[in-house]
């Protein structure tokens, strides 16, 4: 009799305990979903802030605000932007160095003539460095690189976070803009090559015609009209190439950058 009476009570207690456990599990699940959504909102906010930065001047220090796998996605996207920014900043740094900007100045030509060894070496180094940096930026604008970045993180739910990465980084509009930047980098690379080749051609002209040139009082003086005309022709051609950069730079690249 006692055993029969106890059975329902035990059953009720077991069911009660199970009910409590299920309630606890469900409460944790709700908390997890809410926190998960909060993490996603933080992530989206961070990426919007990053995407609005100026690649050439702003600080792209990587500071992670999210947790878990969201932190991996955040880190991956921020690393991407930082790498892009580092390349752009290095290009700006090289192009604004005095040794390059003043390469055709009377002061530099006077110092480096007649063979212009340092000047021609600067042009060669600049050409190689610029091609590497521009190729890096062009590569970063390739859609395939996206998956390579996210795959390195080896996330638990790879497909979900890869899709999230794509959603945050590469909408149809973004991909269209990146294609434009990729084409822009190709054009810029070709134009820069053309410009540097023309600078080198001018240095060679001065070297070959050294007996027709006098370097005096911080001036470059030509002894004949023909030698002056030849140099002016090269200078005009250089200016035509330089004007092409204005056309290339008229369109802005993503992340509010101008290259």
């Amino acid at each position: 009799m006692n055993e029969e009476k106890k059975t329902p009570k035990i059953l009720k207690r077991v069911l009660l305990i199970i009910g409590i456990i299920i309630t606890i599990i469900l409460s944790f699940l709700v908390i997890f979903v809410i926190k998960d959504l909060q993490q996603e909102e933080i992530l989206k906010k961070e990426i919007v802030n990053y995407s609005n930065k100026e690649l050439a001047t702003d600080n792209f220090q990587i500071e992670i605000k999210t947790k878990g796998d969201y932190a991996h996605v955040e880190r991956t996207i921020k690393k991407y932007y930082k790498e892009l920014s580092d390349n752009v900043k290095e290009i700006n740094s090289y192009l604004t160095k005095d040794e390059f900007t003043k390469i055709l100045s009377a002061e530099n030509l006077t110092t480096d003539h007649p063979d212009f060894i340092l000047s021609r070496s600067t042009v060669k180094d600049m050409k190689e460095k610029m091609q590497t940096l521009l190729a890096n930026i062009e590569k970063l604008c390739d859609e395939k690189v996206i998956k390579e970045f996210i795959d390195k993180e080896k996330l638990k739910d790879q497909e979900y976070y890869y899709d999230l990465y794509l959603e945050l980084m590469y909408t149809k509009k973004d991909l269209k803009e990146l294609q434009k930047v990729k084409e822009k980098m190709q054009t810029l690379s070709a134009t820069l090559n053309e410009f540097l080749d023309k600078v080198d051609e001018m240095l060679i002209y001065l070297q070959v015609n050294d007996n027709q040139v006098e370097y005096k009082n911080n001036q470059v003086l030509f002894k004949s009209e023909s030698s002056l005309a030849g140099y002016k022709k090269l200078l005009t051609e250089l200016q035509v190439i330089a004007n092409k950069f204005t056309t290339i730079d008229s369109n802005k690249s993503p992340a509010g950058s101008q290259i």
Side-chain angles (χ1 to χ4, degrees):
M1 289 290 289
N2 289 337
E3 289 181 0
E4 290 177 358
K5 288 180 180 178
K6 286 181 180 179
T7 303
K9 289 183 179 179
I10 293 171
L11 181 61
K12 284 180 181 178
R13 286 174 184 173
V14 171
L15 289 173
L16 180 62
I17 292 170
I18 291 173
I20 292 171
I21 292 171
I22 289 173
T23 302
I24 292 172
I25 291 171
L26 288 174
S27 68
F28 275 115
L29 183 63
V30 171
I31 292 169
F32 174 77
V33 170
I34 291 172
K35 284 187 175 179
D36 207 47
L37 290 174
Q38 288 175 342
Q39 290 295 303
E40 191 165 320
E41 285 305 309
I42 294 171
L43 175 62
K44 288 179 179 178
K45 184 179 178 181
E46 280 298 298
I47 301 314
V48 168
N49 290 340
Y50 250 59
S51 66
N52 287 328
K53 284 187 174 187
E54 171 62 53
L55 289 175
T57 56
D58 284 342
N59 182 6
F60 280 80
Q61 182 178 349
I62 299 174
E63 185 180 350
I64 307 303
K65 302 291 182 69
T66 56
K67 297 178 181 179
D69 282 344
Y70 285 99
H72 289 302
V73 177
E74 182 185 355
R75 186 179 295 105
T76 300
I77 294 175
K78 287 184 174 181
K79 280 168 63 179
Y80 172 90
Y81 275 118
K82 187 177 187 304
E83 189 170 335
L84 197 57
S85 175
D86 288 347
N87 279 277
V88 172
K89 285 172 182 171
E90 198 166 352
I91 286 175
N92 286 352
S93 174
Y94 269 89
L95 292 177
T96 54
K97 284 183 177 179
D98 282 351
E99 61 193 80
F100 179 66
T101 58
K102 296 180 179 180
I103 199 165
L104 293 177
S105 68
E107 180 183 2
N108 181 67
L109 294 176
T110 300
T111 303
D112 203 23
H113 88 287
D115 296 321
F116 304 102
I117 293 172
L118 291 176
S119 298
R120 294 196 66 194
S121 177
T122 297
V123 171
K124 183 177 180 291
D125 291 344
M126 177 71 70
K127 191 174 180 179
E128 291 174 355
K129 189 64 178 178
M130 288 300 101
Q131 295 316 302
T132 299
L133 292 170
L134 290 170
N136 288 344
I137 294 174
E138 185 182 334
K139 182 182 176 183
L140 287 169
C141 293
D142 194 320
E143 189 177 352
K144 293 178 182 177
V145 175
I146 309 163
K147 197 170 188 305
E148 291 176 6
F149 265 84
I150 201 70
D151 284 347
K152 288 177 183 177
E153 296 295 339
K154 302 186 185 305
L155 304 177
K156 294 174 185 176
D157 187 351
Q158 194 83 355
E159 195 62 34
Y160 169 76
Y161 289 103
Y162 176 54
D163 289 342
L164 179 60
Y165 185 96
L166 292 178
E167 177 191 337
L168 293 172
M169 286 288 289
Y170 292 95
T171 61
K172 287 183 179 179
K173 182 182 177 182
D174 292 328
L175 289 173
K176 187 176 180 181
E177 287 299 315
L178 281 172
Q179 182 58 35
K180 288 181 181 178
V181 174
K182 190 174 179 180
E183 292 169 0
K184 177 178 174 180
M185 290 302 103
Q186 292 169 347
T187 304
L188 182 57
S189 180
T191 305
L192 188 57
N193 263 342
E194 188 181 3
F195 182 85
L196 293 171
D197 285 343
K198 187 59 64 176
V199 170
D200 195 49
E201 187 179 347
M202 293 175 74
L203 294 171
I204 292 172
Y205 180 87
L206 291 172
Q207 181 184 354
V208 171
N209 292 277
D210 186 61
N211 63 339
Q212 294 293 314
V213 184
E214 184 179 355
Y215 301 88
K216 186 177 180 182
N217 298 326
N218 207 29
Q219 289 182 311
V220 179
L221 307 172
F222 290 86
K223 298 177 181 178
S224 68
E225 288 293 331
S226 60
S227 59
L228 176 59
Y231 189 76
K232 279 186 174 181
K233 180 177 178 294
L234 292 172
L235 192 58
T236 300
E237 291 169 354
L238 185 69
Q239 188 59 55
V240 170
I241 298 170
N243 290 339
K244 293 181 182 179
F245 289 106
T246 306
T247 305
I248 297 170
D249 198 44
S250 62
N251 297 316
K252 284 192 175 182
S253 54
S257 69
Q258 274 191 295
I259 299 171

